[in-house]
Amino acid sequence: RADPRTFESETEVREWLRKALTKSNSGAATTRAKALSAGGWLAYRQGDFGQAREYFREGIALYTQAEDEIGLINTWQALAIIEMDEGDYPKAQHYLEQSLELARTLEDALGIARGLKFLGSLAWDQDRFVDAREHYRESLRRYQHLGDQVSIAACRYHYG
């Protein structure tokens, strides 16, 4: 059994994960969805947006099946990041709206704060600076309440 901590590169980890995911479709839906999310982020970090998108979309189906709403929020936000990076702003907006609607329903403070920060980034990328500033301001307020110093710094960087 391979230990991912011994791999020398993210590419090796991705290959190991791909093989593991290919060998088995069994197991708990959330466990597989989390593995797909890890694979999605690795693929994203290496610029393989197509593979990342595929993993995240499969994860959405599994999180839906398992009724894991936090997993859905996180994965919709991951898909939004990919779409923003590729310039498909309507898709990014759609995923962020889905994630925020569910996060607000669940009163998931972190999901709301992240979703607002990503909406700020989306607005910024489209030169909608007034909207961006408002989203960052609200996100900053929520991160301050959570005490998340890294995210506070990121919001302050954009908010000014």
Side-chain angles (χ1 to χ4, degrees):
R1 186 171 154 177
D3 181 351
R5 295 171 293 189
T6 64
F7 293 124
E8 293 184 23
S9 72
E10 289 179 349
T11 302
E12 286 181 81
V13 175
R14 278 184 66 195
E15 183 58 21
W16 176 81
L17 184 59
R18 185 194 62 74
K19 287 178 183 176
L21 288 168
T22 301
K23 285 183 179 180
S24 175
N25 273 336
S26 63
T30 54
T31 301
R32 183 169 175 81
K34 288 176 183 179
L36 288 162
S37 182
W41 283 116
L42 283 168
Y44 172 82
R45 285 174 47 99
Q46 293 186 322
D48 188 350
F49 294 166
Q51 182 65 68
R53 187 181 289 109
E54 185 178 318
Y55 281 153
F56 288 135
R57 284 183 179 157
E58 186 178 341
I60 290 283
L62 292 170
Y63 283 129
T64 300
Q65 173 189 333
E67 298 179 4
D68 183 333
E69 294 168 318
I70 299 299
L72 282 171
I73 291 166
N74 293 335
T75 307
W76 279 327
Q77 290 176 352
L79 282 166
I81 291 169
I82 291 170
E83 299 307 342
M84 278 192 286
D85 284 354
E86 292 202 317
D88 192 337
Y89 300 130
K91 272 189 187 172
Q93 182 82 32
H94 171 75
Y95 289 132
L96 289 174
E97 287 172 359
Q98 282 185 286
S99 76
L100 271 169
E101 181 180 337
L102 185 53
R104 286 181 172 129
T105 298
L106 298 176
E107 298 180 7
D108 172 22
L110 183 58
I112 295 168
R114 264 197 325 251
L116 289 166
K117 183 177 73 172
F118 294 145
L119 277 176
S121 297
L122 179 63
W124 185 271
D125 286 353
Q126 298 173 82
D127 298 330
R128 295 181 10 247
F129 301 116
V130 172
D131 291 339
R133 186 171 169 82
E134 180 58 30
H135 291 307
Y136 285 131
R137 183 193 62 75
E138 181 61 21
S139 181
L140 173 61
R141 186 182 69 73
R142 290 174 183 272
Y143 278 127
Q144 286 171 329
H145 182 72
L146 291 168
D148 183 337
Q149 297 303 312
V150 172
S151 297
I152 289 169
C155 286
R156 283 190 173 147
Y157 171 79
H158 291 289
Y159 179 59

